[in-house]
Amino acid sequence: MNRQVVEIIMGSDSDWPTMQVCHKHLEEYSIHSRVTILSAHRTPKTLTEHIIKAESNGILIFIAGAGLNASLAGCIAALTVRPVISVPICNGPLNGIDALLASSQMPSGIPVATMTIGQSGARNAALLAIQILALTTPELYAKLRDYKAAQANEVDQQNQLFQQRLNNEFME
Amino acid sequence: MNRQVVEIIMGSDSDWPTMQVCHKHLEEYSIHSRVTILSAHRTPKTLTEHIIKAESNGILIFIAGAGLNASLAGCIAALTVRPVISVPICNGPLNGIDALLASSQMPSGIPVATMTIGQSGARNAALLAIQILALTTPELYAKLRDYKAAQANEVDQQNQLFQQRLNNEFME
Amino acid sequence: MNRQVVEIIMGSDSDWPTMQVCHKHLEEYSIHSRVTILSAHRTPKTLTEHIIKAESNGILIFIAGAGLNASLAGCIAALTVRPVISVPICNGPLNGIDALLASSQMPSGIPVATMTIGQSGARNAALLAIQILALTTPELYAKLRDYKAAQANEVDQQNQLFQQRLNNEFME
Amino acid sequence: MNRQVVEIIMGSDSDWPTMQVCHKHLEEYSIHSRVTILSAHRTPKTLTEHIIKAESNGILIFIAGAGLNASLAGCIAALTVRPVISVPICNGPLNGIDALLASSQMPSGIPVATMTIGQSGARNAALLAIQILALTTPELYAKLRDYKAAQANEVDQQNQLFQQRLNNEFME
Amino acid sequence: MNRQVVEIIMGSDSDWPTMQVCHKHLEEYSIHSRVTILSAHRTPKTLTEHIIKAESNGILIFIAGAGLNASLAGCIAALTVRPVISVPICNGPLNGIDALLASSQMPSGIPVATMTIGQSGARNAALLAIQILALTTPELYAKLRDYKAAQANEVDQQNQLFQQRLNNEFME
Amino acid sequence: MNRQVVEIIMGSDSDWPTMQVCHKHLEEYSIHSRVTILSAHRTPKTLTEHIIKAESNGILIFIAGAGLNASLAGCIAALTVRPVISVPICNGPLNGIDALLASSQMPSGIPVATMTIGQSGARNAALLAIQILALTTPELYAKLRDYKAAQANEVDQQNQLFQQRLNNEFME
Amino acid sequence: MNRQVVEIIMGSDSDWPTMQVCHKHLEEYSIHSRVTILSAHRTPKTLTEHIIKAESNGILIFIAGAGLNASLAGCIAALTVRPVISVPICNGPLNGIDALLASSQMPSGIPVATMTIGQSGARNAALLAIQILALTTPELYAKLRDYKAAQANEVDQQNQLFQQRLNNEFME
Amino acid sequence: MNRQVVEIIMGSDSDWPTMQVCHKHLEEYSIHSRVTILSAHRTPKTLTEHIIKAESNGILIFIAGAGLNASLAGCIAALTVRPVISVPICNGPLNGIDALLASSQMPSGIPVATMTIGQSGARNAALLAIQILALTTPELYAKLRDYKAAQANEVDQQNQLFQQRLNNEFME
């Protein structure tokens, strides 16, 4: 995939430690996502122009990371008919429950696909984007199946190592 | 005040039973507010144009009523430097706590004045708008002081009636 | 689209009043979704076989509706690499906040796209599925753009009717 | 603005790290706010006298910072018809959700403009106060528009720096 | 007890259905409580004068019933060193959790004895007041012990009736 | 007061850092409280015997400190008709909200006076106990009035020092 | 099973509509449970004696149903080393979330097996009790396996009926 | 007990610091539990096979530890009719309240015995398992009674040491 089809948008570079997990996971599938800092509240006009242009230039999936009242994903979804995925970021005193509710409780007619709060959600946002692209890209589909198998293997191996560790503890 | 300086914006006419309380209370102070149905998510472009035009045409205060993730107030605040007041509306399974958190947990730099959930908040939104206008309108200020005195009187009278009722109950 | 590519799965027929909104909205886009009653907890083996078979038979998107601890979407996502969308259903004393948290707080590696609680979420699940299919189906993309325009028009018309109603009230 | 028209009231000097953000932001607009330590519960009589006197001496806007059950803003609003802004402070085990609910859930007739929990709310309280004063002070209005533009520029610059950083990471 | 030593204060006569339970329970112990409608926010001055006078006139215990941000009890506690008991009233969309948090999360130095939300709390407020008065009134103490015994008996009798009902159901 | 009339009961010595605040504050009023470690769940029989004996031996007020589901206060209140005060302790992952709800949501007929979560609540528990004892002890009443005045003075002095500090910062 | 080995304890006969579901489900497995009304707070001594006697008389499993702060299960678990199952009952303004937290947040050393809020929890309490008894009763184990199979069949049949209904709707 | 009858299952070895408390406590009763790492979402097929095999090989009780949406216990309960105990693990931004709700809010027909969040819950899970096994193992029953007595003694001793410490503090 030479051209960029996934765009990660975040409200501030302070969201990067979370959203980098998303970006890296996309890279593992050779999907070079565009990352842009844009704010629903501080750059509403740039956001509007950017999203409309991005959609017409071929961005297929938007991933938004935002904390507090997390309007970013919803405001993007208001402007595009491409799938919008939201990663609620845990950056305030309410630990992201505000961002989770604001992301998920969208009104009828404007879907936003809400993920887990924080880095787990960032990784899952990448995976959902890949799952969507894999619907028409057999290589991605194969990679996802490999990843799923690898996940299972990883748990199995973790389990085997753990059994050894547990046995050793008892033998000591 | 002949020209309209307060605008009530709500996402749907189903919000009117709540926001009507706001509109009526403004009328009691002879402030004829404009009421417009506009949605942060369904009419983002109209909203943008509307707010910019409204500000340049003399709207001084915006009051937004919205439920669920209640982005409306924040999206208006992103477009104007006029005060924006939010009334969280209680219209979903979470009883407005989602709308309250989404209204109040605004990021730094974009203030939204959040009121009580529901009709009490709608009345208070009207009063805050009047308080703001009263800063430079002595008649409004006088009316507000009268209203405050009347509020106290009303409680006093309610108390007196209640004492009679209580006495009657005991005498029966 | 002659063959069925979207499957709605719900834990019980009591979820139908919510999920019917999803089914009907897909129909409006001529997407004839399959609807199946399957339970993560009561029919775990059937669910496993069903999902694996469904994926191999061409189901591209799964939409799960469930209340309480809402494991259905996560259990489907554990079995497939196709996108899984969850509609938290409001059917217990906690009004769906349990289902919302359970849907969205998925562990890293297993994405579930969580929607709004209840019927708004059911409609949005349909729309997200359509958005995904529209990435490679120009007609669907065109319909979605029309729908977005229609949404905006509907708000505009609602606003115009409201203005008339408001004027009439004042003239009376 | 030579005379003080904004007063920041806080329940304890331990609230200063939060409220200082508000004070400093007002200074950036050349608004020299008065800061007073007064408690709704520990100095109710002084508070009453102070607010009545402050209103008659020309304070136009009150900003209250308080944690826990955060009665300060509401008690001020009970005494004045000037706008009262509340900053819920995050200083107890419930992380400010108690202060947020107590600030915003005011009864009908006594508006309090509730901001975000913590320092973001403190800055926003300053901005709302400035927005209110700007309604009749063209220079403040101009400054606010500049600030809004600067905010957008800041995000743009942050984005440009981020793009460079991202490119460098890939070139390494 | 001829003179009134307990005063029930509520913000509005709409709180009477809840607070009446408190009043009646006090009557059962021959404690004729005074009931007054006063508001922390609508009649702050009357409240201040009233509480100071009430304390000097011999009111020993204040019971406050209030909903939403429930400042009433705290504002009374700020004015008196007599025990203050709070009954959070369930009268808004948040079902009294706002009133419960606001009542209980008092700052250090100003105790408020918070009860259960609603009518159970109203009855318990009466009982706590009686328990306090019983510390120096042997007859009240004896009555409370009788009440405690009666409570236990009532549960025993309920149990016996229930056993009969259960047996009858099985015999049918 | 030579004999002990207040007893502080806590479930574990790990609660002492919180409850010590209560104990110390009572000492400041020359009330030497008894402190006992007893658990509603681990020593139910000892608790039962202890409370009954304590009541007959002259304990007038019980103060219970407990975290998690905080049954201690309720279980004491089940055994005595003396006033029982609860201090919800913040010692688990839910930060004391579980202990606060469990303390306050008592069934009808068994009052528990719930305080703020943590050390503020511990101090307030002491103050409420003193307020109760002061109803019949003029010296305690006088001390409480002094304390209230001192509280107000302390805030005033804090305010004066703060004004100096603020002035100095500006002069630098 | 001739002698009664399961006892359902509830705080009031108003809990019967919920706990009856538990009782009936046990009957379906020919387990005739004893049902007793006892209160942790109103009959603490009877409860203590009852539980100790019940354990020595052969009660193997206790099921407690209670609302609000739901101390019943914990207080039983304090007195016995037999398994205690709790059904949080939804009978107050907080919809059972208080009872759920109070049931589950037991201190270390005193286990309580907490179920779903309300009737679903009542049925599950019965099933858990049966699962425990089935560990040493092959017939119960066989019945449980049949029930599990029947559950799956029921979902399958529900699904088949639903497919017919759906087809009919389309054919009309 | 030579053969393993209790199995602890956890989603990841990062859950071991919590679940080790469970394992160790079982060891104190000479119950050598099997510990296995298995994930409801990452190894659904292995989990299915494992549970079915474990049940047929004689595992009598399953204890599941999981965080976030904590599906593990429910997915095990879907596959077995043996008792399933859930320990909600506190490993995300919501501090385990998500895991607690997901564990306890099981649908009708599939019981899961939910414990306290975190290490207290892990210990209680062990104790509940022992209580269940003790129903038919007199030695375990005797040990549990000893443990209960020891718990009470421990509190008594803690109390005695505390009294000395308190006395010493006063004598200094």
Side-chain angles (χ1 to χ4, degrees):
Chain A
M1 234 171 244
N2 288 329
R3 80 193 159 87
Q4 286 176 316
V5 293
V6 177
E7 178 159 21
I8 296 168
I9 300 179
M10 57 191 183
S12 154
D13 56 8
S14 66
D15 298 329
W16 186 233
T18 300
M19 298 313 291
Q20 194 172 25
V21 174
C22 180
H23 183 256
K24 277 191 180 162
H25 203 72
L26 288 165
E27 292 289 329
E28 290 175 24
Y29 287 76
S30 305
I31 298 170
H32 307 297
S33 62
R34 186 158 78 179
V35 188
T36 313
I37 298 175
L38 276 170
S39 162
H41 296 119
R42 276 173 287 189
T43 59
K45 290 171 210 168
T46 318
L47 182 71
T48 303
E49 292 160 13
H50 184 93
I51 298 303
I52 291 166
K53 200 170 154 191
E55 181 172 338
S56 68
N57 284 355
I59 291 295
L60 299 181
I61 298 168
F62 294 93
I63 298 172
L68 296 173
N69 78 342
S71 292
L72 188 55
C75 286
I76 295 171
L79 295 160
T80 181
V81 297
R82 294 306 186 197
V84 178
I85 304 169
S86 175
V87 180
I89 286 179
C90 173
N91 65 357
L94 301 186
N95 284 337
I97 187 73
D98 43 2
L100 176 57
L101 286 177
S103 281
S104 55
Q105 287 295 84
M106 289 295 294
S108 179
I110 314 287
V112 162
T114 300
M115 300 287 115
T116 316
I117 301 169
Q119 293 192 343
S120 297
R123 180 183 297 268
N124 284 351
L127 275 163
L128 178 59
I130 298 161
Q131 287 178 343
I132 292 170
L133 297 174
L135 290 173
T136 50
T137 316
E139 308 89 80
L140 279 179
Y141 181 72
K143 276 192 185 173
L144 279 170
R145 295 218 67 94
D146 291 350
Y147 177 73
K148 212 165 189 68
Q151 265 189 330
N153 283 338
E154 196 186 350
V155 174
D156 286 347
Q157 286 186 330
Q158 209 186 75
N159 184 36
Q160 286 170 30
L161 285 168
F162 181 79
Q163 300 305 331
Q164 290 171 13
R165 179 177 151 201
L166 207 61
N167 285 335
N168 292 343
E169 277 177 21
F170 275 95
M171 284 194 277
E172 273 163 27
Chain B
M1 241 175 233
N2 289 327
R3 81 191 158 87
Q4 286 176 315
V5 293
V6 177
E7 179 161 20
I8 296 169
I9 299 178
M10 57 192 183
S12 155
D13 56 8
S14 65
D15 299 330
W16 185 233
T18 301
M19 299 312 291
Q20 193 172 24
V21 175
C22 179
H23 183 255
K24 278 190 180 162
H25 203 72
L26 288 165
E27 292 289 328
E28 291 176 23
Y29 287 77
S30 305
I31 298 170
H32 308 297
S33 61
R34 186 159 77 180
V35 189
T36 314
I37 298 174
L38 276 171
S39 163
H41 295 118
R42 277 174 286 189
T43 60
K45 289 170 210 168
T46 318
L47 183 71
T48 303
E49 290 159 15
H50 182 94
I51 299 303
I52 291 166
K53 200 168 154 193
E55 181 173 338
S56 68
N57 283 356
I59 292 295
L60 298 181
I61 298 167
F62 295 93
I63 298 172
L68 296 173
N69 80 338
S71 291
L72 186 57
C75 286
I76 296 171
L79 295 161
T80 180
V81 297
R82 294 307 186 196
V84 179
I85 304 170
S86 175
V87 180
I89 287 180
C90 173
N91 65 357
L94 302 186
N95 283 336
I97 187 74
D98 43 3
L100 176 57
L101 287 176
S103 281
S104 56
Q105 287 296 84
M106 288 296 294
S108 178
I110 313 287
V112 163
T114 300
M115 300 288 115
T116 317
I117 300 169
Q119 292 193 343
S120 297
R123 182 182 296 268
N124 284 352
L127 276 164
L128 178 59
I130 299 161
Q131 287 179 342
I132 291 171
L133 297 175
L135 291 173
T136 50
T137 316
E139 309 90 79
L140 280 179
Y141 180 72
K143 277 192 185 174
L144 279 170
R145 296 219 65 94
D146 291 350
Y147 177 75
K148 213 167 188 66
Q151 265 190 329
N153 282 339
E154 195 186 352
V155 174
D156 286 347
Q157 286 186 329
Q158 207 184 76
N159 184 36
Q160 285 170 31
L161 285 168
F162 181 80
Q163 300 305 329
Q164 290 170 14
R165 178 178 151 199
L166 207 59
N167 285 335
N168 292 344
E169 278 177 22
F170 275 96
M171 283 192 278
E172 277 163 26
Chain C
M1 238 174 239
N2 289 328
R3 83 193 155 86
Q4 286 176 316
V5 294
V6 177
E7 179 161 19
I8 297 169
I9 299 179
M10 57 191 182
S12 154
D13 55 9
S14 65
D15 299 330
W16 186 233
T18 302
M19 299 312 291
Q20 195 171 23
V21 175
C22 179
H23 183 256
K24 277 190 181 161
H25 203 73
L26 288 165
E27 292 289 328
E28 291 176 22
Y29 287 78
S30 305
I31 298 171
H32 307 298
S33 61
R34 186 158 77 179
V35 189
T36 314
I37 297 175
L38 276 171
S39 162
H41 295 119
R42 276 173 287 188
T43 59
K45 289 170 212 169
T46 318
L47 182 71
T48 303
E49 291 159 15
H50 183 93
I51 299 303
I52 291 166
K53 201 170 152 190
E55 181 173 338
S56 68
N57 283 355
I59 291 295
L60 298 181
I61 297 168
F62 295 94
I63 298 172
L68 297 173
N69 80 339
S71 291
L72 188 55
C75 286
I76 296 171
L79 295 161
T80 181
V81 298
R82 295 306 185 196
V84 178
I85 304 169
S86 175
V87 180
I89 286 179
C90 173
N91 64 357
L94 302 186
N95 284 337
I97 187 75
D98 42 3
L100 176 58
L101 286 177
S103 282
S104 57
Q105 287 296 84
M106 288 296 295
S108 178
I110 314 287
V112 163
T114 300
M115 300 288 113
T116 317
I117 300 169
Q119 292 193 342
S120 297
R123 180 182 297 270
N124 284 351
L127 275 163
L128 179 60
I130 299 161
Q131 287 178 342
I132 291 171
L133 296 174
L135 291 173
T136 51
T137 315
E139 309 89 81
L140 280 178
Y141 180 73
K143 277 191 184 173
L144 280 169
R145 296 219 66 94
D146 290 350
Y147 177 74
K148 215 169 187 67
Q151 265 189 330
N153 282 339
E154 194 185 353
V155 174
D156 286 349
Q157 285 186 329
Q158 206 184 78
N159 184 36
Q160 285 170 30
L161 285 168
F162 181 80
Q163 299 305 330
Q164 289 171 14
R165 178 177 151 200
L166 207 61
N167 285 334
N168 292 342
E169 278 177 22
F170 275 97
M171 282 192 278
E172 276 163 25
Chain D
M1 236 172 241
N2 288 328
R3 83 192 155 85
Q4 286 175 317
V5 293
V6 177
E7 178 160 21
I8 296 168
I9 299 179
M10 57 191 182
S12 155
D13 57 7
S14 66
D15 298 330
W16 185 233
T18 301
M19 298 312 292
Q20 195 171 23
V21 174
C22 179
H23 183 256
K24 277 190 181 162
H25 203 72
L26 288 165
E27 291 290 329
E28 290 174 25
Y29 286 78
S30 305
I31 297 171
H32 307 298
S33 61
R34 186 159 77 178
V35 189
T36 313
I37 297 174
L38 276 170
S39 162
H41 295 119
R42 277 174 287 190
T43 60
K45 290 170 210 168
T46 319
L47 182 70
T48 303
E49 292 160 13
H50 183 93
I51 298 304
I52 291 166
K53 200 169 154 191
E55 181 172 337
S56 68
N57 283 356
I59 291 295
L60 299 180
I61 297 167
F62 295 93
I63 298 171
L68 297 173
N69 79 340
S71 290
L72 188 55
C75 286
I76 295 171
L79 295 161
T80 180
V81 298
R82 295 307 186 196
V84 179
I85 304 169
S86 175
V87 180
I89 287 179
C90 173
N91 65 357
L94 301 186
N95 284 336
I97 187 75
D98 42 3
L100 175 57
L101 286 177
S103 281
S104 55
Q105 287 295 83
M106 289 295 293
S108 178
I110 314 289
V112 163
T114 300
M115 301 286 115
T116 317
I117 300 169
Q119 293 193 344
S120 297
R123 181 182 295 269
N124 283 352
L127 275 163
L128 178 60
I130 298 160
Q131 286 178 342
I132 291 171
L133 297 174
L135 290 173
T136 51
T137 316
E139 310 88 79
L140 280 178
Y141 180 73
K143 276 192 184 173
L144 279 170
R145 296 219 66 93
D146 291 351
Y147 177 73
K148 211 164 190 70
Q151 265 189 330
N153 282 338
E154 196 185 351
V155 174
D156 287 348
Q157 286 186 330
Q158 209 185 76
N159 184 35
Q160 284 170 33
L161 284 167
F162 180 79
Q163 300 305 331
Q164 289 170 14
R165 181 178 149 200
L166 206 61
N167 285 334
N168 291 342
E169 277 176 22
F170 276 95
M171 283 194 278
E172 272 163 28
Chain E
M1 234 171 244
N2 290 327
R3 79 190 160 85
Q4 286 175 316
V5 293
V6 177
E7 180 161 19
I8 297 168
I9 299 178
M10 57 191 183
S12 155
D13 56 8
S14 65
D15 299 329
W16 186 233
T18 300
M19 298 312 290
Q20 194 172 23
V21 175
C22 180
H23 184 255
K24 278 189 181 163
H25 203 73
L26 289 164
E27 292 290 327
E28 291 176 23
Y29 287 77
S30 305
I31 298 170
H32 307 297
S33 61
R34 185 159 76 179
V35 188
T36 314
I37 298 174
L38 276 170
S39 162
H41 295 119
R42 275 173 288 189
T43 60
K45 289 170 210 166
T46 318
L47 182 71
T48 303
E49 290 159 14
H50 183 93
I51 298 304
I52 291 166
K53 201 170 154 190
E55 181 173 337
S56 68
N57 283 356
I59 291 294
L60 299 181
I61 298 166
F62 294 94
I63 298 171
L68 296 173
N69 79 341
S71 290
L72 187 56
C75 285
I76 295 171
L79 294 162
T80 181
V81 298
R82 295 306 186 196
V84 179
I85 304 170
S86 176
V87 180
I89 287 180
C90 172
N91 65 357
L94 302 186
N95 284 336
I97 187 74
D98 43 2
L100 175 57
L101 287 177
S103 280
S104 56
Q105 287 295 85
M106 288 295 295
S108 179
I110 313 288
V112 163
T114 300
M115 300 288 115
T116 317
I117 301 169
Q119 292 192 343
S120 297
R123 181 181 297 267
N124 284 350
L127 276 164
L128 179 59
I130 298 161
Q131 287 179 341
I132 291 171
L133 297 174
L135 290 173
T136 51
T137 315
E139 309 89 80
L140 280 179
Y141 180 72
K143 276 191 185 174
L144 280 169
R145 296 219 65 94
D146 291 349
Y147 177 74
K148 213 167 188 67
Q151 265 189 329
N153 282 339
E154 194 186 352
V155 174
D156 286 348
Q157 285 187 328
Q158 206 184 77
N159 184 35
Q160 285 170 31
L161 284 168
F162 181 79
Q163 300 305 331
Q164 289 171 13
R165 178 177 151 200
L166 207 60
N167 285 334
N168 292 343
E169 278 178 21
F170 275 96
M171 282 191 278
E172 275 163 27
Chain F
M1 238 173 239
N2 288 327
R3 81 191 157 87
Q4 286 175 316
V5 294
V6 177
E7 179 161 19
I8 296 168
I9 299 179
M10 57 191 182
S12 154
D13 56 8
S14 66
D15 298 330
W16 185 234
T18 301
M19 298 312 291
Q20 195 171 25
V21 174
C22 179
H23 184 255
K24 277 190 180 161
H25 203 72
L26 288 165
E27 291 290 328
E28 290 176 25
Y29 287 77
S30 306
I31 297 170
H32 307 298
S33 61
R34 186 159 77 179
V35 188
T36 313
I37 297 174
L38 275 170
S39 163
H41 295 119
R42 275 173 289 190
T43 60
K45 291 170 210 168
T46 318
L47 182 70
T48 303
E49 292 159 14
H50 184 93
I51 298 304
I52 290 166
K53 200 170 152 191
E55 181 172 338
S56 68
N57 283 354
I59 291 295
L60 298 180
I61 296 167
F62 295 93
I63 298 171
L68 297 172
N69 79 340
S71 291
L72 188 55
C75 285
I76 295 171
L79 296 161
T80 181
V81 297
R82 296 305 187 197
V84 178
I85 304 169
S86 175
V87 180
I89 287 180
C90 172
N91 65 358
L94 302 186
N95 284 336
I97 186 74
D98 42 5
L100 176 57
L101 286 177
S103 282
S104 56
Q105 286 297 81
M106 287 297 293
S108 178
I110 314 287
V112 162
T114 300
M115 300 287 115
T116 317
I117 300 169
Q119 293 192 343
S120 297
R123 181 182 296 268
N124 284 352
L127 275 163
L128 178 59
I130 298 160
Q131 287 178 343
I132 292 171
L133 297 174
L135 289 174
T136 51
T137 315
E139 310 89 80
L140 280 179
Y141 181 73
K143 276 191 185 174
L144 279 170
R145 295 219 67 93
D146 291 351
Y147 177 74
K148 213 166 188 65
Q151 265 189 329
N153 283 339
E154 195 185 352
V155 174
D156 286 348
Q157 286 186 329
Q158 208 184 76
N159 184 36
Q160 286 171 31
L161 284 168
F162 181 79
Q163 300 304 331
Q164 290 171 14
R165 179 177 151 200
L166 207 60
N167 285 334
N168 292 342
E169 277 177 22
F170 275 96
M171 283 193 279
E172 274 163 27
Chain G
M1 233 169 242
N2 289 327
R3 81 192 158 85
Q4 286 176 316
V5 293
V6 177
E7 180 161 18
I8 296 168
I9 299 178
M10 57 191 183
S12 154
D13 57 7
S14 66
D15 298 330
W16 185 233
T18 301
M19 298 312 291
Q20 194 171 24
V21 175
C22 179
H23 183 255
K24 277 190 182 162
H25 204 71
L26 288 165
E27 291 290 327
E28 291 176 22
Y29 287 77
S30 305
I31 297 171
H32 307 297
S33 61
R34 188 160 75 180
V35 188
T36 313
I37 298 175
L38 277 170
S39 162
H41 295 119
R42 276 173 287 188
T43 59
K45 289 171 210 167
T46 317
L47 182 71
T48 303
E49 291 159 14
H50 182 93
I51 298 303
I52 290 166
K53 200 170 152 190
E55 181 172 339
S56 67
N57 283 355
I59 291 295
L60 299 181
I61 298 167
F62 295 94
I63 298 172
L68 295 173
N69 78 341
S71 291
L72 187 56
C75 286
I76 295 171
L79 295 161
T80 181
V81 298
R82 294 307 185 196
V84 179
I85 304 170
S86 175
V87 180
I89 287 180
C90 172
N91 65 357
L94 302 186
N95 284 337
I97 187 73
D98 43 3
L100 176 57
L101 287 177
S103 281
S104 56
Q105 286 296 82
M106 289 295 294
S108 179
I110 313 288
V112 163
T114 301
M115 300 288 113
T116 317
I117 300 169
Q119 293 193 343
S120 298
R123 181 182 295 269
N124 284 350
L127 275 164
L128 179 59
I130 298 161
Q131 287 178 342
I132 291 172
L133 297 174
L135 291 173
T136 51
T137 315
E139 308 89 79
L140 281 178
Y141 181 72
K143 276 191 185 174
L144 280 169
R145 295 219 66 93
D146 290 350
Y147 177 73
K148 215 169 187 66
Q151 266 189 330
N153 283 339
E154 196 186 352
V155 174
D156 286 347
Q157 285 186 329
Q158 207 184 77
N159 184 35
Q160 286 170 31
L161 285 168
F162 180 79
Q163 300 304 331
Q164 290 170 13
R165 179 177 151 200
L166 207 61
N167 284 336
N168 293 342
E169 278 177 21
F170 275 96
M171 284 192 277
E172 276 164 26
Chain H
M1 239 173 238
N2 288 328
R3 82 192 156 87
Q4 286 175 318
V5 294
V6 177
E7 179 160 21
I8 296 168
I9 300 178
M10 57 191 183
S12 153
D13 56 8
S14 66
D15 298 330
W16 185 234
T18 300
M19 297 313 290
Q20 194 171 25
V21 175
C22 180
H23 184 256
K24 278 191 180 161
H25 203 71
L26 287 165
E27 292 289 328
E28 290 176 23
Y29 287 77
S30 305
I31 297 170
H32 307 298
S33 62
R34 186 159 76 180
V35 189
T36 313
I37 297 174
L38 276 170
S39 163
H41 295 118
R42 276 173 288 188
T43 60
K45 290 170 210 169
T46 318
L47 183 70
T48 303
E49 292 159 14
H50 183 93
I51 298 304
I52 291 166
K53 200 170 153 190
E55 182 172 338
S56 67
N57 284 354
I59 290 295
L60 299 180
I61 297 167
F62 295 94
I63 298 171
L68 297 172
N69 79 341
S71 291
L72 188 55
C75 286
I76 296 171
L79 295 162
T80 181
V81 297
R82 296 303 186 198
V84 178
I85 304 169
S86 175
V87 180
I89 288 180
C90 173
N91 65 357
L94 302 185
N95 284 336
I97 187 74
D98 42 3
L100 175 58
L101 287 177
S103 282
S104 56
Q105 287 296 82
M106 288 295 294
S108 179
I110 314 286
V112 163
T114 300
M115 301 287 114
T116 317
I117 300 169
Q119 293 193 343
S120 297
R123 180 182 297 269
N124 284 352
L127 276 164
L128 179 59
I130 298 161
Q131 288 178 342
I132 292 171
L133 296 174
L135 290 173
T136 51
T137 316
E139 308 90 79
L140 280 178
Y141 180 72
K143 277 192 184 172
L144 279 170
R145 295 218 68 92
D146 291 350
Y147 177 74
K148 211 164 190 71
Q151 265 189 330
N153 283 338
E154 196 185 351
V155 174
D156 286 348
Q157 285 186 330
Q158 207 184 77
N159 184 36
Q160 285 171 31
L161 284 168
F162 181 80
Q163 300 304 331
Q164 289 171 14
R165 180 177 151 201
L166 207 61
N167 285 334
N168 292 342
E169 277 176 22
F170 274 96
M171 284 193 277
E172 274 162 28

